[in-house]
Amino acid sequence: QRRGLRLSAPAAIQVTVRDALNQALDEELERDERVFLLGEEVAQYDGAYKISRGLWKKYGDKRVIDTPISEMGFAGIAVGAAMVWLRPVCEFMTFNFSMQAIDQVINSAAKTCYMSAGSIAVPIVFRGPNGASAGVAAQHSQCFAAWYGHCPGLKVVSPWSAEDAKGLLKASIRDDNPVVVLESELLYGVPFEMSEQAQSKEFVIPIGKAKIERQGTHVTLVAHSRPVGHCIEAAAVLSKEGVECEVINLRTIRPMDIETVEASVAKTNHLVTVEGGWPQFGVGAEICARIMEGPAFNYLDAPAVRVTGADVPMPYAKILEDNCIPQVKDIVFAVKKALNI
């Protein structure tokens, strides 16, 4: 206290997802000299999406490295560096382009620790925008959560908020396993409240732990990435009609925190999953299968319902694109279907 006034602690602040990711990279580059960033335009141009803004000027050519347009090449360099205990952060300009390097991600990074009986770890992060953007059509709008979540040896995270982005990226860089960080381009410029705790340089979010974003009693909504926000909006709409939704932000695709979902279903007796990816073999399909096979199945009062992207390559036209991506109205409709109202 000073002159009878109480000095307040730093309050929560508004931070965009872009700035949260930039903070995470900056703090981890500073914390551990083995960490380095590589990818297309990450250095002199400050990143295609400005995620690495200012890092090249601060850390130099050896820590922030511009690469040729060759995903298989620079992903392979990064995997090799990780095998000798450097900690590369490999940026794909979009995860659609990670298909060029999928042999390195799966056959080299994901499987080496197992195939070497644990003697070779691969502490690498593959990160970049994933899923639909705006007006970039079929070859730039796929969600790879189910693809990479399918593969043993990888950890896969999918942040929604600024706190998610910072805490999960820092945890991924510190992890001794290969981690795929699936970001949303459409969230980069969105501001979220960041708590005082999350502003700390030691703030991390454990990989493999979901978060309940909204408490509810009538139906469980499970989502990851941008659809989490749609679920919260849908919950607000439904609340006016007397339906209280519990919204779970999955955060991690692999390993999946099915226990949090089971506990919620045991309370609400209804389940709706929401994702931007395609329906067949999707994240929602996996959640529904796990619930059916586990103890929470006995608590369901109705079949689980999935809300997904349309089962087509993404159209270019905006009106068609909007109808291919889950909207708030689709979630409201699915909840009413699950509740039979």
Side-chain angles (χ1 to χ4, degrees):
Q1 290 183 335
R2 183 180 180 186
R3 294 183 181 178
L5 298 176
R6 185 183 299 274
L7 299 177
S8 59
I13 58 174
Q14 293 282 315
V15 177
T16 65
V17 171
R18 174 182 288 107
D19 288 342
L21 291 165
N22 180 264
Q23 285 177 27
L25 289 169
D26 188 8
E27 290 169 8
E28 294 306 301
L29 283 162
E30 181 181 61
R31 175 180 174 271
D32 188 341
E33 64 181 11
R34 296 173 297 172
V35 176
F36 70 98
L37 175 63
L38 78 166
E40 296 151 357
E41 299 183 345
V42 299
Q44 296 187 42
Y45 188 67
D46 278 341
Y49 304 98
K50 307 307 176 191
I51 304 300
S52 54
R53 184 180 60 246
L55 300 180
W56 174 66
K57 289 181 181 178
K58 184 173 181 179
Y59 295 101
D61 291 324
K62 289 186 177 181
R63 305 288 301 284
V64 184
I65 303 167
D66 278 330
T67 66
I69 302 173
S70 176
E71 282 76 15
M72 180 176 283
F74 68 75
I77 289 169
V79 171
M83 288 179 177
V84 292
W85 278 98
L86 295 176
R87 291 186 173 271
V89 179
C90 179
E91 176 180 307
F92 294 122
M93 195 176 289
T94 159
F95 260 94
N96 297 272
F97 302 160
S98 76
M99 294 177 72
Q100 299 287 337
I102 203 163
D103 179 63
Q104 301 288 3
V105 178
I106 304 302
N107 282 325
S108 297
K111 298 177 181 177
T112 294
C113 186
Y114 176 83
M115 294 178 70
S116 66
S119 63
I120 303 175
V122 188
I124 186 172
V125 172
F126 301 100
R127 56 153 295 274
N130 170 70
S133 180
V136 292
Q139 292 179 336
H140 300 78
S141 295
Q142 300 172 82
C143 176
F144 287 86
W147 290 49
Y148 287 120
H150 179 65
C151 301
L154 291 178
K155 295 183 179 182
V156 183
V157 301
S158 183
W160 167 58
S161 67
E163 285 198 8
D164 288 351
K166 180 178 180 181
L168 288 170
L169 181 53
K170 287 171 71 73
S172 301
I173 293 171
R174 297 182 188 190
D175 201 286
D176 288 339
N177 300 281
V179 186
V180 174
V181 181
L182 302 173
E183 302 155 9
S184 168
E185 181 185 339
L186 295 175
L187 288 175
Y188 281 155
V190 177
F192 289 87
E193 188 173 277
M194 183 174 280
S195 67
E196 179 189 354
Q197 178 190 12
Q199 296 168 45
S200 163
K201 289 186 177 182
E202 291 307 310
F203 175 74
V204 295
I205 291 172
I207 294 173
K209 185 62 181 170
K211 180 186 179 185
I212 298 175
E213 297 286 352
R214 186 185 193 279
Q215 297 283 344
T217 53
H218 294 126
V219 61
T220 298
L221 299 179
V222 186
H224 65 94
S225 191
R226 188 165 174 257
V228 174
H230 295 340
C231 286
I232 291 173
E233 290 180 46
V237 171
L238 288 159
S239 182
K240 296 176 182 176
E241 301 181 31
V243 176
E244 296 300 330
C245 303
E246 183 145 295
V247 178
I248 296 178
N249 174 7
L250 205 54
R251 281 181 164 173
T252 304
I253 307 302
R254 184 182 186 104
M256 185 177 286
D257 182 7
I258 202 67
E259 293 80 12
T260 294
V261 181
E262 287 175 335
S264 180
V265 169
K267 180 172 69 171
T268 68
N269 310 116
H270 297 88
L271 173 64
V272 174
T273 67
V274 186
E275 63 188 307
W278 294 314
Q280 190 157 318
F281 314 117
V283 174
E286 175 67 16
I287 294 169
C288 291
R290 296 271 199 102
I291 293 299
M292 189 191 76
E293 293 168 348
F297 175 74
N298 296 310
Y299 290 91
L300 282 175
D301 288 344
V305 179
R306 291 182 293 159
V307 180
T308 72
D311 197 20
V312 296
M314 183 64 70
Y316 172 72
K318 184 175 186 337
I319 189 168
L320 296 177
E321 180 183 69
D322 288 344
N323 280 282
C324 283
I325 301 170
Q327 307 291 340
V328 172
K329 62 181 176 61
D330 302 316
I331 301 169
V332 171
F333 179 82
V335 168
K336 291 183 176 182
K337 178 182 177 182
L339 295 174
N340 195 29
I341 57 176

